[in-house]
Amino acid sequence: MKKGKLIIFTLLVLSLIKLSAVEEKKLNGNVPIGEYEKENTQGLGFTAGRVSGVGFAYRQYFDKSGIQFTFGLLSDADNVPKFPEESNTSVITKKGWDVDGSIGFMYLRTLRESEKSRFYYFLGASLNIDYTKKYIQNYQYDSSVGELVKYGSPVKNIKNNNSYYYGPGIGIDFKLSKYVSFIVELPVSISSDKKIETYIPQGAIIIKF
């Protein structure tokens, strides 16, 4: 795992060096940031990361700056499960509703740009939604039937393990074509329980329009 993170970090550094060399050689520093992309400055795609969040992403560039919104949600039906009248155990637990989601926002600031890539730093934050509703049914031994039978109504148990991440980072937007970008980012993420994590990359694929 550490070796993979080191490889990604090295690729980012080498890409930045190459980007700087291309600007010096071909452009002589005369083209302002943001001049390369007058069209297709916004796009939709998919992103995954601690700071960016996980889900569908909308990205928009404004010359030197930019923003990205992320939203993703997975949910099953909210229902009260059915429990058998008799059981071999004293307690049965069933899931009633499970929601996993992510909401994120990032502010981007371009540092260098060429026709093929854009290097930038960012500040971002994401909220990870982890909501689970379970129902617990107790059973009690009934000597008249010699079985464990349903005792009382199901008890609802809700767990809300939401968490958030925030922090700065650097990224490179590789312009694969006029309409497609592949993005690699390295954030410094600070979690809701105050843990700081580095060298955990995040990425995105964006279709521009």
Side-chain angles (χ1 to χ4, degrees), residues 75-81 94-99 131-135 156-158:
S75 174
D76 55 15
D78 183 12
N79 59 74
V80 180
K94 290 188 177 183
K95 184 172 64 176
W97 195 20
D98 191 14
V99 179
Y131 177 91
T132 303
K133 183 191 293 184
K134 294 182 178 180
Y135 290 87
K156 182 168 59 177
N157 178 268
I158 295 177

Side-chain angles (χ1 to χ4, degrees), residues 5 8-9 12 47-54 59 68 105-108 119-126 128 164-172 183-191 195-204:
K5 295 174 184 176
I8 293 175
F9 178 76
L12 275 174
T47 187
R50 290 286 176 83
V51 174
S52 65
V54 180
R59 178 172 286 215
Q68 177 176 296
F105 173 78
M106 290 170 44
Y107 170 78
L108 319 171
F119 178 70
Y120 58 91
Y121 72 85
F122 63 86
L123 297 172
S126 68
N128 297 320
Y164 61 83
Y165 292 89
Y166 64 94
I170 58 174
I172 295 182
I183 295 161
V184 179
E185 298 167 335
L186 274 179
V188 177
S189 62
I190 304 170
S191 66
K195 290 182 180 179
I196 300 177
E197 297 175 331
T198 59
Y199 304 117
I200 299 179
Q202 57 189 35

Side-chain angles (χ1 to χ4, degrees), residues 61-179:
Y61 287 117
F62 308 97
D63 292 333
K64 294 183 179 181
S65 63
I67 58 173
Q68 177 176 296
F69 294 98
T70 303
F71 179 77
L73 186 66
L74 292 174
S75 174
D76 55 15
D78 183 12
N79 59 74
V80 180
K82 294 182 179 180
F83 292 90
E85 294 297 324
E86 300 176 352
S87 172
N88 295 323
T89 61
S90 59
V91 176
I92 294 179
T93 301
K94 290 188 177 183
K95 184 172 64 176
W97 195 20
D98 191 14
V99 179
D100 292 298
S102 183
I103 301 172
F105 173 78
M106 290 170 44
Y107 170 78
L108 319 171
R109 188 71 178 178
T110 301
L111 297 173
R112 286 188 177 274
E113 185 186 16
S114 73
E115 292 180 288
K116 296 298 182 181
S117 59
R118 179 193 295 258
F119 178 70
Y120 58 91
Y121 72 85
F122 63 86
L123 297 172
S126 68
L127 171 65
N128 297 320
I129 302 168
D130 184 3
Y131 177 91
T132 303
K133 183 191 293 184
K134 294 182 178 180
Y135 290 87
I136 302 171
Q137 177 64 61
N138 293 304
Y139 289 81
Q140 190 175 61
Y141 183 75
D142 188 341
S143 58
S144 63
V145 296
E147 297 282 351
L148 290 169
V149 298
K150 194 184 293 185
Y151 177 73
S153 301
V155 177
K156 182 168 59 177
N157 178 268
I158 295 177
K159 288 187 177 181
N160 194 340
N161 296 320
N162 294 347
S163 60
Y164 61 83
Y165 292 89
Y166 64 94
I170 58 174
I172 295 182
D173 182 338
F174 295 100
K175 306 170 188 177
L176 302 183
S177 73
K178 183 178 179 180
Y179 301 102

